[in-house]
Amino acid sequence: MKALGMIETRGMVGAIEAVDVACKTADVEVLNRHLIKGGIVTVEIVGDVGAVKVAVEAATEAVKKLGVYMGSHVIPRPTEEVYNILEKKEVPTEVIEEKEMIVELAEEVIIEDMVDEEVKPVVNRRDKTKK
């Protein structure tokens, strides 16, 4: 079973720095990232226990230098239930419905813009002929 490492930062810049340093330091993979309210970002990395410990330590030091460190933790051999919790990415139906509505509105605007662009040259030609 792989180890799980978590690094929490304020903002995406720190999270990207943490992932970059962790992946360059040891043979680890990024499992996921979570955007939490208030600009907090948690990244999860997995790999062999030793690799994850080294990667999290290095990433933690790099993020502390940026001044955006919130916390970090390594779980050497988490139970399968921990991974089940982390890998569930359920999107609330309200979010899906809102996204669909936004797409529909955007399509309407694009179609209206296309119609306006086709009509304007014709109107301009008519205006010139009337004078």
Side-chain angles (χ1 to χ4, degrees), residues 48-85:
D48 294 332
V49 176
V52 171
K53 284 184 178 180
V54 168
V56 168
E57 288 173 13
T60 297
E61 289 306 312
V63 174
K64 282 181 178 179
K65 287 180 185 175
L66 290 176
V68 294
Y69 175 76
M70 295 291 292
S72 60
H73 187 64
V74 174
I75 302 175
R77 283 172 290 286
T79 66
E80 197 62 37
E81 293 304 314
V82 171
Y83 287 111
N84 290 341
I85 290 172

Side-chain angles (χ1 to χ4, degrees), residues 11-127:
M12 186 60 80
V13 172
I16 292 170
E17 176 71 7
V19 168
D20 184 54
V21 169
C23 291
K24 288 178 179 175
T25 303
D27 184 23
V28 295
E29 294 177 29
V30 177
L31 176 67
N32 207 343
R33 62 125 171 89
H34 300 277
L35 304 174
I36 304 168
K37 290 181 181 178
I40 297 172
V41 182
T42 302
V43 292
E44 300 157 352
I45 59 173
V46 292
D48 294 332
V49 176
V52 171
K53 284 184 178 180
V54 168
V56 168
E57 288 173 13
T60 297
E61 289 306 312
V63 174
K64 282 181 178 179
K65 287 180 185 175
L66 290 176
V68 294
Y69 175 76
M70 295 291 292
S72 60
H73 187 64
V74 174
I75 302 175
R77 283 172 290 286
T79 66
E80 197 62 37
E81 293 304 314
V82 171
Y83 287 111
N84 290 341
I85 290 172
L86 296 177
E87 292 177 1
K88 287 183 182 175
K89 296 179 185 176
E90 294 180 21
V91 179
T93 22
E94 301 87 36
V95 173
I96 293 171
E97 290 169 358
E98 186 175 334
K99 284 184 178 181
E100 289 172 352
M101 185 179 71
I102 291 170
V103 168
E104 287 175 16
L105 289 172
E107 288 172 349
E108 288 176 20
V109 169
I110 291 169
I111 290 169
E112 287 175 11
D113 286 348
M114 290 171 60
V115 169
D116 287 346
E117 287 177 11
E118 291 174 12
V119 171
K120 284 179 186 173
V122 173
V123 171
N124 288 341
R125 278 190 233 130
R126 287 185 186 156
D127 287 344

